[in-house]
Amino acid sequence: MQAPPTSSGSRRRRVTCRRLPQSAKVPPPPRSRAPQGGRRLSLGFSPRLPRSLAGRRARAERRSRRRFSWLVGRPASRAAPSSPGQPAARYCLTMALSNDDEALINRKLPKELLLRIFSFLDVITLCRCAQVSKSWNVLALDGSNWQRIDLFNFQTDVEGRVLENISKRCGGFLRQLSLRGCLGVGDTSLKTFAQNCRNIEHLNLNGCTKITDSTCFSLSKFCPRLKHLDLTSCISITNNSLRSLSEGCQNLELLNLSWCDQITKDGIEALVKGCNGLKALFLRGCTQLVDEALHHIETHCHELVILNLQSCMQISDEGIAGICRGCHQLQSLCVSGCTNLTDASLVALGLNCPRLKILEAARCSHLTDAGFALLARNCRELEKMDLEECVLITDNTLIQLSIHCPKLQALSLSHCELITDDGILHLSSSTCGHERLQVLELDNCLLITDVTLEHLENCHNLERIELYDCQQVTRAGIKRIRAHLPDVKVHAYFAPVTPPPSVGGTRQQLCRCCIIL
């Protein structure tokens, strides 16, 4: 009997397979004969099939696996009925790929549900799923799955064309994009991005040093919904960028201009007139800012919650007082490195900003106990204070904080050399010490001893203590507090003791190298 003819006119050869009865036994392979005049070779393993036959069998097995399903926990083969000793149900993922590339999971679940599942995956996992099949490629690269993208881990590989391709793929779906540290991104690619992704709300350009005012012009022209913009260390940004943003991005709520040192009071004036809904403004390292810039913020930004003025060394008490009068919602203020500030700034904060939670005033060496006492009595919501190098404060500040600030969680007193064990006693025995205090930094507090560590044993929520160069703290004291608070992290460094000066007056005090230097 012949096979039916094919479309090409050729005929297929009939293949017949004869099945042996179950009672028949398969004869064993013939045993190799020993060569004449010698012994039979014993290689220690069964003879292998020829390479051509083994290759054909392997290829046939791979084809079989592709055509049938693969099961989790067992090789791809025909699923046999479960035996009594095995569980009746198995968790399996059936691919069953046919010629039309339709998997069982794609047939059973609607595309809307598959897209919902894919929306929980990160960038790397989505890229892997896109390589599974054609249908998964379409699902994984759907724009709805790329609403939030963080490319920080790929910063060395991201170039302008990569950003352009992402913007074309995502389009109006993209809401948040982080290009932090992507040095290869410039104005041209960001212009294409702005044109394609007009619904962008959060954009992080921290460290993208190639961008200029042209990028801000493109964003103001095409991205009116922008709310958060981070331009940290974009050193080419000038006042023109702020003018553009004030015209086209009036929904801005957070703007980070840290270390953009070309920004002046004129740029701040233009910005706040158009973006008067700002809630967070970061101006760290903008060294050209003066009090007049803060007066513009006072006039227009009444909803401001976070203000960072670190290292703005031209700021004085007058500017801080103006901010306090106009921004009553202020909850976080950083004036670290503003060395001209005095207790007048603390008085203004205490009288006008009762919701203050975070105050960073490191290196403000003119602040005293009187200013912090008034601040503590009026700002009872304080949770974090950085008072590093406020060298004039004493235990009285800690007494006022322990009485009036029950929510205090983190306190830095590094280089406050007038703090003693008595101040820590009041702090540790207060409500905040018992229930809230988590971080305490006491670096270079020379009067602190092991008695402080005994007092801190009452702070049950304490997580970290900094004790660098506290020369009167011993290893035994650290060991005792670790025994009472096993989860606390104590960071300490024991500097070598300075040798006493020599008795002989004629002996040279400095070595020859030091004299030369």
Side-chain angles (χ1 to χ4, degrees):
M1 184 176 181
Q2 297 180 349
T6 59
S7 59
S8 60
S10 61
R11 296 182 179 275
R12 293 181 179 176
R13 183 177 300 175
R14 186 179 61 180
V15 180
T16 60
C17 297
R18 187 177 61 179
R19 180 176 295 179
L20 293 175
Q22 295 182 358
S23 59
K25 295 183 179 180
V26 180
R31 304 175 68 180
S32 59
R33 297 181 179 179
Q36 295 181 359
R39 297 182 179 179
R40 185 167 57 192
L41 298 177
S42 177
L43 301 179
F45 54 85
S46 58
R48 296 187 298 179
L49 295 172
R51 288 189 176 181
S52 58
L53 181 57
R56 287 198 296 270
R57 287 194 176 182
R59 287 193 294 271
E61 184 178 1
R62 286 196 295 269
R63 285 196 299 270
S64 175
R65 287 180 178 175
R66 284 197 298 268
R67 294 187 63 182
F68 296 99
S69 63
W70 62 272
L71 305 177
V72 175
R74 60 180 299 175
S77 62
R78 185 173 61 89
S82 57
S83 60
Q86 297 176 347
R90 287 178 176 271
Y91 289 97
C92 64
L93 179 62
T94 306
M95 296 299 291
L97 293 178
S98 59
N99 294 332
D100 58 351
D101 194 29
E102 279 295 330
L104 179 60
I105 189 174
N106 299 335
R107 294 199 303 267
K108 293 293 184 181
L109 298 181
K111 289 186 178 180
E112 293 79 8
L113 183 54
L114 288 172
L115 284 174
R116 177 63 175 170
I117 296 173
F118 276 68
S119 66
F120 293 98
L121 304 180
D122 56 14
V123 174
I124 298 177
T125 309
L126 282 173
C127 292
R128 290 172 178 169
C129 290
Q131 303 176 53
V132 172
S133 65
K134 293 180 180 179
S135 58
W136 277 34
N137 181 275
V138 175
L139 292 172
L141 298 182
D142 189 88
S144 61
N145 295 324
W146 298 77
Q147 299 184 32
R148 295 174 294 274
I149 302 177
D150 187 354
L151 298 177
F152 176 71
N153 294 330
F154 312 96
Q155 54 181 302
T156 57
D157 302 320
V158 174
E159 300 176 353
R161 58 185 180 85
V162 175
L163 178 59
E164 294 175 7
N165 292 335
I166 290 176
S167 66
K168 293 175 183 177
R169 169 69 66 176
C170 299
F173 287 104
L174 189 59
R175 296 292 189 274
Q176 301 179 16
L177 175 65
S178 176
L179 297 172
R180 183 165 60 102
C182 298
L183 301 178
V185 175
D187 292 330
T188 305
S189 56
L190 280 168
K191 181 179 180 180
T192 304
F193 162 80
Q195 292 173 344
N196 294 324
C197 304
R198 303 193 178 201
N199 294 325
I200 189 71
E201 297 178 357
H202 295 235
L203 181 60
N204 189 341
L205 300 176
N206 185 340
C208 299
T209 54
K210 289 186 178 181
I211 67 173
T212 64
D213 295 332
S214 177
T215 291
C216 292
F217 177 76
S218 300
L219 293 174
S220 66
K221 185 176 181 181
F222 300 109
C223 304
R225 299 186 179 183
L226 192 63
K227 295 182 179 180
H228 292 196
L229 179 60
D230 191 343
L231 297 172
T232 302
S233 300
C234 297
I235 56 178
S236 299
I237 295 297
T238 67
N239 293 334
N240 295 327
S241 293
L242 303 189
R243 295 189 183 96
S244 299
L245 292 174
S246 66
E247 295 173 359
C249 300
Q250 297 185 355
N251 292 322
L252 269 179
E253 297 178 358
L254 183 149
L255 180 61
N256 196 333
L257 297 170
S258 299
W259 315 114
C260 299
D261 54 3
Q262 297 189 51
I263 300 298
T264 65
K265 61 182 180 61
D266 297 329
I268 297 297
E269 179 182 8
L271 173 70
V272 297
K273 284 183 178 180
C275 304
N276 51 18
L278 276 172
K279 296 182 178 179
L281 184 59
F282 298 85
L283 300 172
R284 290 179 298 173
C286 296
T287 54
Q288 297 190 47
L289 294 183
V290 294
D291 290 336
E292 189 175 350
L294 300 188
H295 289 316
H296 296 311
I297 298 175
E298 167 197 354
T299 305
H300 297 92
C301 298
H302 301 296
E303 299 181 7
L304 196 66
V305 176
I306 301 174
L307 179 61
N308 193 315
L309 299 171
Q310 179 181 339
S311 300
C312 297
M313 292 178 289
Q314 299 187 52
I315 299 298
S316 68
D317 293 328
E318 183 181 356
I320 298 299
I323 289 291
C324 296
R325 288 192 298 267
C327 306
H328 297 288
Q329 308 295 327
L330 197 64
Q331 297 182 15
S332 176
L333 177 63
C334 178
V335 291
S336 297
C338 299
T339 55
N340 296 326
L341 300 185
T342 66
D343 286 342
S345 295
L346 299 180
V347 172
L349 280 171
L351 296 178
N352 297 282
C353 301
R355 300 183 181 181
L356 192 66
K357 294 182 178 181
I358 299 175
L359 176 62
E360 299 179 17
R363 302 185 302 281
C364 296
S365 56
H366 299 299
L367 304 181
T368 67
D369 291 334
F372 284 112
L374 190 146
L375 179 73
R377 286 195 296 267
N378 293 276
C379 300
R380 296 174 177 267
E381 302 293 322
L382 278 169
E383 297 178 359
K384 177 183 177 182
M385 296 185 70
D386 185 359
L387 308 182
E388 180 177 352
E389 293 187 27
C390 293
V391 294
L392 298 181
I393 64 174
T394 65
D395 293 338
N396 292 328
T397 294
L398 299 186
I399 294 173
Q400 296 299 322
L401 291 176
S402 63
I403 296 173
H404 302 292
C405 300
K407 298 182 179 181
L408 194 62
Q409 299 177 10
L411 179 61
S412 176
L413 299 170
S414 300
H415 294 272
C416 297
E417 299 180 355
L418 301 179
I419 298 297
T420 68
D421 298 331
D422 294 334
I424 303 300
L425 171 62
H426 288 87
L427 185 66
S428 61
S429 58
S430 64
T431 302
C432 70
H434 283 296
E435 300 177 0
R436 296 298 185 96
L437 192 62
Q438 298 177 1
V439 178
L440 182 61
E441 299 180 0
L442 298 171
D443 304 333
N444 288 277
C445 293
L446 303 181
L447 302 180
I448 294 297
T449 67
D450 288 345
V451 178
T452 287
L453 301 184
E454 295 178 3
H455 298 328
L456 292 177
E457 293 176 3
N458 299 321
C459 303
H460 303 292
N461 292 322
L462 199 60
E463 298 177 359
R464 178 167 59 89
I465 310 174
E466 303 287 344
L467 296 171
Y468 292 107
D469 288 329
C470 294
Q471 298 181 2
Q472 298 192 56
V473 175
T474 64
R475 289 182 174 86
I478 295 176
K479 188 175 181 180
R480 282 194 298 269
I481 190 173
R482 280 179 173 169
H484 285 82
L485 302 174
D487 296 331
V488 69
K489 295 180 180 179
V490 181
H491 298 158
Y493 170 74
F494 297 93
V497 180
T498 304
S502 58
V503 180
T506 58
R507 186 175 178 181
Q508 190 176 7
Q509 298 294 324
L510 300 175
C511 68
R512 185 175 181 181
C513 298
C514 295
I515 294 174
I516 295 174
L517 293 175

